[in-house]
Amino acid sequence: MNKAASIAPQRAWGKGRLVAKTALGQSRIAELYQEGCAKIRLPKTFDASMEAVLINSSGGLTGGDRMVWEVVAGAGTDLTVTTQACEKIYKASADTVAVATRIEVAAGARVDWLPQETILFDHASLSRSLDVELAADATFLAVEAVLLGRKAMGEVVQTGLFRDRWRIRADGKLLHADNLALAGEIASLGQRRVVLDGAVAFATLLYVGPDCEPLLPRLRLLLDGEAGVGISHFQVDGRDKLVARLVAPDGFALRKILIPLISHLRKQKTVPKVWVL
């Protein structure tokens, strides 16, 4: 037996945890933990908010890799969480990438979860989850965008697995549940009109806050004339949420739709600087 063949391949593992608190009217670090390939950097801000940049120092993920991110926004804090770059999910020879994100937003706090796009390569396998606990008057904005290969590089995702699970709770009650699965012949699935209608870039946007209804007309105006997009306003147990579904022919076109929406929901504050470097 070939000894080298019997050795299990090395897998990436990372866990990052950030807890924010208020101090002298500013959002500041209460706790910072980093393990493995998970790194967190905190660029200087020029207002009372805090920005955190998540980094996977392994340079991408493949079958069997594991990442865990935990974010806790203490009472009254204002925290934006993004990523240094797009997360790349490479071809998996075996097993599935697992990425779990857990976020807690305390009373009067706000978290904007704005990672850059996840890029799936052909034969990639990814299972991802987002679990959020919101206090009574917390505000939460989340955007997750996915690219099926990089169109400019001529990449095509023929087969693979992508599972995405969202569970958002407010005051312990389920406010939003979302399950998405693309499995097997992804290229064929994506051609179906009820799936992606040939698009290779898509995103989900969720906003929970007391001002959903006043924000909605401008969002619809921004989306007017855009194909493959839709936004809805819901009220669940007295809590308001906005949910938008977006598809586009490529990542650049998707960003052109997303960025004005994000800016509007952030009170004209644009996306984090790492998005445009």
Side-chain angles (χ1 to χ4, degrees):
M1 181 179 179
N2 187 334
K3 185 177 179 180
S6 66
I7 299 174
Q10 185 177 4
R11 296 305 185 193
W13 156 252
K15 180 178 180 179
R17 175 178 169 84
L18 173 65
V19 181
K21 65 179 181 180
T22 55
L24 300 175
Q26 306 285 313
S27 299
R28 294 291 181 259
I29 301 172
E31 179 185 335
L32 178 64
Y33 175 83
Q34 303 172 125
E35 179 181 350
C37 60
K39 311 298 179 188
I40 302 174
R41 297 295 179 263
L42 303 169
K44 182 176 177 60
T45 58
F46 297 94
D47 55 22
S49 68
M50 174 187 287
E51 183 175 307
V53 179
L54 309 183
I55 301 169
N56 169 18
S57 62
S58 72
L61 299 169
T62 187
D65 294 344
R66 302 287 184 267
M67 295 291 292
V68 175
W69 300 106
E70 295 180 353
V71 176
V72 179
T77 56
D78 185 348
L79 178 59
T80 296
V81 185
T82 186
T83 55
Q84 181 191 36
C86 297
E87 185 65 274
K88 299 178 180 66
I89 311 298
Y90 294 112
K91 174 181 177 180
S93 57
D95 209 344
T96 297
V97 176
V99 179
T101 302
R102 295 187 283 270
I103 300 174
E104 296 178 26
V105 191
R110 175 177 178 135
V111 169
D112 291 353
W113 171 250
L114 302 174
Q116 296 190 64
E117 299 90 339
T118 295
I119 302 174
L120 300 180
F121 288 76
D122 196 20
H123 298 286
S125 183
L126 168 64
S127 181
R128 187 172 69 181
S129 64
L130 174 64
D131 289 278
V132 182
E133 296 285 346
L134 303 175
D137 58 349
T139 300
F140 180 63
L141 169 63
V143 174
E144 285 282 10
V146 177
L147 308 181
L148 300 177
R150 296 171 295 186
K151 194 170 182 179
M153 304 294 288
E155 297 164 355
V156 177
V157 176
Q158 296 289 353
T159 63
L161 172 67
F162 174 59
R163 291 197 184 102
D164 201 16
R165 174 189 174 277
W166 292 29
R167 294 293 183 272
I168 317 298
R169 291 177 172 82
D171 305 320
K173 297 178 181 179
L174 186 63
L175 177 64
H176 182 79
D178 205 318
N179 279 32
L180 169 66
L182 295 173
E185 301 296 326
I186 290 179
S188 298
L189 282 172
Q191 292 300 317
R192 296 181 183 178
R193 188 172 184 181
V194 295
V195 182
L196 294 174
D197 197 22
V200 295
F202 58 94
T204 296
L205 178 151
L206 170 74
Y207 179 77
V208 180
D211 52 351
C212 287
E213 195 165 356
L215 289 168
L216 187 57
R218 176 62 179 167
L219 292 173
R220 285 184 169 154
L221 185 62
L222 290 169
L223 290 173
D224 186 39
E226 295 287 355
V229 300
I231 187 164
S232 300
H233 173 219
F234 302 89
Q235 192 171 78
V236 182
D237 290 329
R239 294 297 300 268
D240 287 298
K241 68 175 181 178
L242 297 170
V243 181
R245 311 287 189 182
L246 315 171
V247 298
D250 54 48
F252 179 71
L254 183 62
R255 282 202 175 198
K256 284 175 65 179
I257 302 170
L258 265 178
I259 289 175
L261 301 180
I262 294 170
S263 179
H264 180 56
L265 291 170
R266 281 162 58 86
K267 310 299 187 289
Q268 306 312 310
K269 187 177 179 180
T270 190
V271 294
K273 287 184 178 179
V274 289
W275 274 51
V276 294
L277 288 178

